[in-house]
Amino acid sequence: MFDTVLDLIFPPKCGFCQKINKEYLCKKCELKINYLKKDKIRRVKNEAYSYHLFAYEYKNEIRNKILDFKFNDKPELADTFAKLLLNNKKICRFLRCYDIIIPVPMYKKKQIIRGYNQTELIAQKLAEELHLEYVCALKKIKNTQTQSKLDAKDRENNVKDAYECMDVEKISNKKVVLFDDIFTTGSTVAECAKKLKGAFEISVLTVAKD
Ligand SMILES: [Zn+2]
């Protein structure tokens, strides 16, 4: 049964398959992604940031939906991805110790063509729910090639000096969560983290890891 009149006019739907469903995901879709759940917090051995947190493996239905979100004009999927992360107690507990969340930016022209930056949309929702400050501190200053077509070494070169910190004051001495949708070789987040000089601590959160 639906709770309100509003639910009758706009019945709640599963965020993935769009079938009428009270929860944000229906049982069928939940089953399709449950086995990909990882909720990992990895201590990272690099100088740029301390931990990498991710919720899912970048495979099958999670991969399909992230690609759908990015390339098929479906900004509404931000809600579902944010909820998937917010329902992960381990990740939320960890994030509550942080001050600010910074999305990995897109090159402006690319963002205008897409209409939105998927990492910004999710990060905004996480900030609201977890009471983190949402700060767009980074700017992408080079229109790089798409990372997915490159190998590890080329990915690193491709993003080198592609980002710039626009708000050094805001991040100074803060515990920062850097947010991206997918982690593959980690070259994008490492390059972004390097530019967040002056932060007290930086950790990286992604929806999925390849
Ligand atoms: Zn569904």
Side-chain angles (χ1 to χ4, degrees):
M1 279 302 284
F2 298 119
D3 286 329
T4 62
V5 178
L6 214 61
D7 281 354
L8 280 172
I9 307 166
F10 303 106
K13 288 177 181 165
C14 166
F16 277 180
C17 71
Q18 298 304 311
K19 287 197 182 110
I20 292 173
N21 192 67
K22 212 166 169 193
E23 302 296 320
Y24 72 102
L25 268 191
C26 72
K27 285 275 169 282
K28 247 188 179 170
C29 290
E30 222 176 82
L31 271 176
K32 282 189 194 167
I33 62 166
N34 265 352
Y35 75 104
L36 297 169
K37 205 171 165 189
K38 283 288 170 223
D39 61 20
K40 268 265 165 35
I41 298 175
R42 308 190 294 150
R43 183 87 175 103
V44 181
K45 288 189 185 78
N46 70 35
E47 286 161 21
Y49 58 94
S50 317
Y51 293 94
H52 172 217
L53 297 79
F54 63 98
Y56 291 92
E57 269 182 84
Y58 186 58
K59 267 198 215 160
N60 305 340
E61 192 63 2
I62 285 289
R63 183 174 180 273
N64 295 341
K65 289 299 175 198
I66 290 179
L67 293 175
D68 205 19
F69 181 26
K70 284 168 87 155
F71 301 114
N72 294 331
D73 191 25
K74 291 194 178 158
E76 66 276 9
L77 273 169
D79 240 330
T80 312
F81 281 114
K83 279 179 186 145
L84 287 175
L85 291 166
L86 289 164
N87 273 336
N88 189 309
K89 288 199 181 89
K90 197 167 155 188
I91 287 177
C92 288
R93 210 178 303 129
F94 190 90
L95 293 181
R96 283 205 177 89
C97 308
Y98 282 73
D99 305 308
I100 61 181
I101 185 162
I102 299 176
V104 167
M106 278 174 80
Y107 193 68
K108 203 169 176 202
K109 266 190 198 156
K110 272 193 186 165
Q111 185 165 342
I112 289 168
I113 293 165
R114 187 174 297 177
Y116 56 92
N117 173 357
Q118 70 284 350
T119 66
E120 286 180 4
L121 299 184
I122 299 176
Q124 276 166 11
K125 290 178 193 295
L126 296 178
E128 259 171 52
E129 293 294 324
L130 298 170
H131 306 291
L132 301 167
E133 194 180 351
Y134 172 75
V135 183
C136 287
L138 291 164
K139 185 182 175 189
K140 192 162 189 190
I141 50 172
K142 270 203 314 198
N143 192 6
T144 55
Q145 270 181 276
T146 307
Q147 290 283 83
S148 57
K149 289 170 189 152
L150 306 171
D151 65 26
K153 194 73 215 157
D154 286 341
R155 279 174 189 246
E156 210 179 302
N157 290 330
N158 189 38
V159 293
K160 193 164 174 21
D161 294 322
Y163 300 90
E164 196 175 77
C165 182
M166 309 297 291
D167 204 338
V168 181
E169 232 166 80
K170 262 263 158 74
I171 64 164
S172 170
N173 277 315
K174 292 283 164 60
K175 290 186 83 177
V176 173
V177 181
L178 178 63
F179 178 74
D180 206 357
D181 48 1
I182 316 155
F183 183 108
T184 306
T185 61
S187 48
T188 300
V189 287
E191 187 61 31
C192 285
K194 265 187 226 163
K195 302 292 170 183
L196 298 172
K197 287 200 177 83
F200 179 75
E201 191 183 313
I202 302 167
S203 282
V204 168
L205 170 68
T206 61
V207 174
K209 182 181 176 295
D210 200 359

